[in-house]
Amino acid sequence: MKSLFKIGIVLGVAASVTSCFNSSKPNYQYFPNMYEGVSYETYQESDAFPNDKEAQLPPANTIKRGWLPYDYENTTEGYDLAKVNLHSPLDSVNMEADMAKGKELFTIYCAICHGDKGDGNGTLVEREKFLGVPNYADRDISEGSVYHVIYYGLNSMGSYAVQLNEKERWQVAEYVMSLKTKLSK
Amino acid sequence: MASHYEAPIREPLVTGDKTYHDVTVDVAAPVEGRANKQWWIVFSIALVAFLWGLGCIIYTVSTGIGVWGLNKTVGWAWDITNFVWWVGIGHAGTLISAVLLLFRQKWRMAINRSAEAMTIFSVVQAGLFPIIHMGRPWLAYWVLPIPNQFGSLWVNFNSPLLWDVFAISTYLSVSLVFWWTGLLPDFAMLRDRAVKPFQKKIYSLLSFGWSGRAKDWQRFEEVSLVLAGLATPLVLSVHTIVSFDFATSVIPGWHSTIFPPYFVAGAIFSGFAMVLTLLIIMRKVSNLENYITIVHIENMNKVILLTGGVVSVAYITEFFIGWYSGTNYEDYTYMSIGAATGPYWWAFWALIICNFIVPQTLWVKKLRTNYMWSFIVSIVINIGMWFERFDIIVIDLSKGHLPSSWTMFSPTFIDIGVFIGTIGFFFVLFLLYARTFPVIAQAEVKTILKSSGEKYKKLRDGNHE
């Protein structure tokens, strides 16, 4: 009995020592020597910057290596020009792989509204979260205009230039055109 | 008496006409009496030194190793020097209690208790250094192979520094158990003599209910013998492992196969010197002149002479091999012409004079049976053995393979403060021990009283005539 009591005390102490953490807060740390970075990490907050964000905007009109600005303006004229003049730089030899990639990206970023087939019946439309997503078959679009719309957005649709890089935008644009062909049959 | 034969040539180990009761009274006297003024003065000095060292340790750990004089080339200096020095000192205790027990040396009985206490206390000092010389001592528990949440990340068993952990911790625990089992009958004696209830309570706890029955004694003897048998290879292996810290490296001067036996010999050499230092004082202040006699001192001096000889032969060997190897790099090792004439010439010559020359005076019987000279030599040896470790570590590191990395080392006051602190801590422990523990294994001394006591020897010799 006496030894049971002692075991109970030991277990009690062990439990009280180990149970003191709050699951809604980060746990206690033992000597966090290199847990917090000395350098700036990408999305961290920092008083060193005007808006307390580590991620600062680059200066206007600068061009980084491996990137070119998009020349068409975000206007109706720009849209019309892009529709006519802008053509895919993707290599037709590699079309199958680009198309597969385009499908993958389309399914991630576009299909939620436009539908897997591009018929305007995405999950959000079916659930009637919002309406008015057009069917590609009903629209007069070219690969250039699709690219332009992905870049800038159009009416209710926002820009996807942040999510997709230039090559990916073209892959999606080509895939959209292939969907339009299928829908128009 | 006729049934007993001891060679008349053997000198008595207990002088004065001591009876069993006298032994008890003499051993218990320091424990039962009150500390005198001198004890308090010495204790205070030791305590201040200890606290100062503690401050230096806290400062080091909280500020960083950079407060020491180490640099990028010389990454080990006073820390490991002191570590090896203290471990070495700790070796005499176990040698006296274990090896001399195996060789049935009766003269060990008057000195083994204090020698073992010295072992325990100096291993404690040594044990501080591996921790405090770490950059992140709070992660020291990572040296232990404990199952953990890093995918059960373990230690690498190839490092002699890890072997050190096992060696030192095993050595300390075995020594402690060996010491304590030996203390049981003596604590029981103090318990039975105690008049104050508090003292009685304390010694009752410490003596584990020892009642001295025949079966207890039989097992006690067996345990002592087994522990002595275990402790002997431990003595040899622990300092061997410490020597592996250096011998397994590729540093010129460190990479040497002679290190294991040579370090062990050096450890016994310095350990016996420290025992002498302590006991020459203790026999006076604790009135134990009849138990720690000149025979004991002379015997210890002979062990010192032997181990000092082994160490000297090792120096000559190192010096010879340095030349014989034909390796340019051996020109600057701690045992080389380069060391003798280089910037650390004083450390080299301090080693030669303290370990090589001065102890040789003990060949002269007049000097080795002289308390004062023994005391001086013992101090000199401890200084010399400190320099031996300093020379091995610092001289060899300061001039390595690449001349662009050659540098000097000089300690800061923190380095020195930590060392002084460990000396203070050692004496704090030893002084407390001397006033609370039976400093002579009275139970053992009583077993040789009738064979080696002066009174009984005289009686026997009288019968022969």
Side-chain angles (χ1 to χ4, degrees):
Chain A
M1 201 60 217
K2 209 176 169 188
S3 63
L4 266 181
F5 181 67
K6 282 178 187 165
I7 292 167
I9 287 177
V10 170
L11 287 178
V13 168
S16 62
V17 166
T18 54
S19 63
C20 288
F21 82 95
N22 184 344
S23 58
S24 64
K25 281 185 196 157
N27 205 345
Y28 297 102
Q29 294 170 339
Y30 175 74
F31 285 98
N33 288 143
M34 292 174 74
Y35 290 23
E36 304 285 336
V38 177
S39 58
Y40 292 118
E41 292 183 36
T42 310
Y43 295 114
Q44 77 168 58
E45 289 183 11
S46 168
D47 299 337
F49 301 103
N51 55 358
D52 290 353
K53 289 177 187 167
E54 187 276 340
Q56 295 294 296
L57 290 173
N61 303 318
T62 55
I63 295 176
K64 68 170 179 178
R65 227 174 253 208
W67 181 86
L68 282 173
Y70 181 57
D71 285 335
Y72 297 86
E73 281 175 28
N74 188 13
T75 55
T76 315
E77 293 79 49
Y79 176 82
D80 290 339
L81 279 172
K83 192 195 277 186
V84 180
N85 297 336
L86 190 59
H87 296 289
S88 167
L90 295 182
D91 192 347
S92 60
V93 176
N94 207 20
M95 192 49 79
E96 212 166 290
D98 282 336
M99 215 45 111
K101 188 70 190 169
K103 182 181 182 183
E104 194 185 316
L105 294 166
F106 184 87
T107 325
I108 293 168
Y109 295 108
C110 317
I112 190 72
C113 301
H114 288 283
D116 285 342
K117 298 193 194 91
D119 54 5
N121 286 325
T123 309
L124 291 177
V125 177
E126 274 174 7
R127 290 184 184 169
E128 298 188 342
K129 299 296 177 191
F130 53 78
L131 300 170
V133 180
N135 187 329
Y136 290 145
D138 304 340
R139 284 290 181 102
D140 175 24
I141 53 174
S142 74
E143 55 178 14
S145 76
V146 173
Y147 183 91
H148 188 88
V149 170
I150 295 172
Y151 195 90
Y152 287 122
L154 186 67
N155 301 333
S156 299
M157 179 174 153
S159 166
Y160 279 77
V162 177
Q163 280 87 351
L164 300 168
N165 66 28
E166 190 188 355
K167 190 181 181 194
E168 289 170 338
R169 289 194 288 270
W170 281 114
Q171 286 166 333
V172 172
E174 300 243 21
Y175 182 69
V176 166
M177 291 316 289
S178 80
L179 286 178
K180 181 179 162 67
T181 319
K182 274 185 212 156
L183 285 165
S184 306
K185 263 186 224 161
Chain B
M1 291 294 160
S3 65
H4 183 89
Y5 179 74
E6 187 180 72
I9 199 168
R10 293 198 180 276
E11 289 170 74
L13 294 173
V14 181
T15 55
D17 291 342
K18 295 293 179 187
T19 62
Y20 288 132
H21 182 65
D22 293 336
V23 176
T24 306
V25 170
D26 289 344
V27 172
V31 180
E32 289 166 351
R34 295 182 70 84
N36 59 16
K37 208 171 170 187
Q38 284 94 324
W39 186 89
W40 281 108
I41 290 169
V42 177
F43 181 75
S44 307
I45 293 169
L47 192 66
V48 167
F50 167 46
L51 293 175
W52 169 251
L54 196 64
C56 288
I57 289 172
I58 292 167
Y59 180 62
T60 303
V61 171
S62 56
T63 310
I65 288 295
V67 301
W68 291 357
L70 302 175
N71 52 52
K72 280 190 186 176
T73 301
V74 184
W76 277 353
W78 277 53
D79 47 352
I80 300 301
T81 300
N82 299 336
F83 163 70
V84 181
W85 190 72
W86 277 117
V87 175
I89 285 173
H91 273 60
T94 314
L95 190 99
I96 287 167
S97 54
V99 177
L100 297 186
L101 174 67
L102 296 183
F103 284 109
R104 305 286 180 208
Q105 294 298 308
K106 290 177 178 175
W107 60 273
R108 104 199 138 78
M109 288 173 178
I111 57 172
N112 64 351
R113 175 65 42 73
S114 293
E116 284 172 60
M118 187 198 73
T119 293
I120 309 278
F121 302 148
S122 55
V123 173
V124 167
Q125 309 312 321
L128 288 171
F129 286 100
I131 307 283
I132 61 172
H133 92 302
M134 287 181 172
R136 296 187 183 180
W138 49 91
L139 299 180
Y141 68 96
W142 284 5
V143 303
L144 304 173
I146 308 169
N148 54 59
Q149 292 183 326
F150 302 105
S152 222
L153 183 67
W154 267 32
V155 286
N156 186 337
F157 288 93
N158 291 330
S159 168
L161 301 184
L162 182 66
W163 311 339
D164 272 348
V165 174
F166 300 135
I168 302 295
S169 53
T170 309
Y171 189 58
L172 181 62
S173 31
V174 170
S175 301
L176 200 58
V177 169
F178 197 11
W179 188 49
W180 207 273
T181 47
L183 276 162
L184 292 179
D186 293 4
F187 277 146
M189 176 273 281
L190 289 174
R191 170 199 66 196
D192 297 342
R193 285 173 57 88
V195 273
K196 292 180 211 143
F198 179 71
Q199 257 190 355
K200 194 149 194 104
K201 179 85 189 157
I202 293 291
Y203 288 110
S204 300
L205 285 171
L206 295 179
S207 60
F208 295 175
W210 176 267
S211 54
R213 285 175 295 223
K215 201 70 193 169
D216 295 349
W217 278 114
Q218 185 213 336
R219 299 222 159 104
F220 177 90
E221 292 292 335
E222 283 170 8
V223 163
S224 301
L225 198 58
V226 168
L227 279 179
L230 289 174
T232 303
L234 208 55
V235 179
L236 304 181
S237 65
V238 168
H239 219 67
T240 294
I241 287 170
V242 171
S243 83
F244 283 167
D245 294 351
F246 312 102
T248 61
S249 75
V250 295
I251 309 286
W254 283 12
H255 185 77
S256 172
T257 51
I258 204 175
F259 271 22
Y262 150 50
F263 266 53
V264 172
I268 297 162
F269 184 50
S270 69
F272 264 85
M274 189 59 124
V275 175
L276 263 186
T277 312
L278 295 174
L279 289 187
I280 287 173
I281 298 173
M282 183 181 256
R283 67 187 289 282
K284 260 276 171 301
V285 296
S286 299
N287 297 318
L288 299 169
E289 287 106 326
N290 284 319
Y291 304 95
I292 302 165
T293 64
I294 197 67
V295 179
H296 296 86
I297 305 293
E298 191 187 355
N299 283 341
M300 282 192 270
N301 276 331
K302 284 175 179 170
V303 176
I304 285 174
L305 202 49
L306 171 72
T307 50
V310 174
V311 172
S312 300
V313 168
Y315 293 155
I316 295 167
T317 309
E318 285 271 284
F319 207 91
F320 171 73
I321 292 292
W323 164 77
Y324 185 66
S325 67
T327 312
N328 298 343
Y329 299 114
E330 296 281 338
D331 292 348
Y332 303 108
T333 60
Y334 76 106
M335 274 293 146
S336 66
I337 298 290
T341 57
Y344 284 110
W345 61 271
W346 45 272
F348 174 91
W349 289 109
L351 161 81
I352 297 295
I353 292 166
C354 296
N355 292 349
F356 195 54
I357 296 169
V358 174
Q360 298 304 316
T361 57
L362 296 176
W363 286 105
V364 182
K365 191 176 170 89
K366 210 168 194 155
L367 290 175
R368 73 168 176 264
T369 51
N370 180 309
Y371 291 111
M372 201 56 213
W373 184 247
S374 301
F375 185 72
I376 291 167
V377 169
S378 73
I379 300 268
V380 166
I381 288 171
N382 274 314
I383 295 168
M385 285 307 290
W386 190 89
F387 270 108
E388 184 200 294
R389 279 66 177 253
F390 177 83
D391 290 5
I392 289 173
I393 294 169
V394 173
I395 295 182
D396 290 344
L397 283 178
S398 68
K399 281 191 177 174
H401 284 110
L402 199 64
S404 62
S405 301
W406 286 3
T407 187
M408 290 291 288
F409 165 83
S410 51
T412 63
F413 79 95
I414 310 284
D415 280 301
I416 300 164
V418 171
F419 182 45
I420 289 171
T422 56
I423 293 173
F425 190 17
F426 175 83
F427 279 104
V428 164
L429 291 171
F430 198 84
L431 286 165
L432 288 173
Y433 149 83
R435 294 226 51 86
T436 49
F437 279 47
V439 295
I440 284 182
Q442 52 91 25
E444 294 204 62
V445 168
K446 284 173 186 170
T447 65
I448 57 163
L449 190 60
K450 287 197 173 168
S451 62
S452 305
E454 192 179 19
K455 177 177 160 193
Y456 296 92
K457 281 185 87 75
K458 267 191 204 140
L459 275 173
R460 265 202 308 279
D461 293 346
N463 281 355
H464 283 296
E465 279 161 7

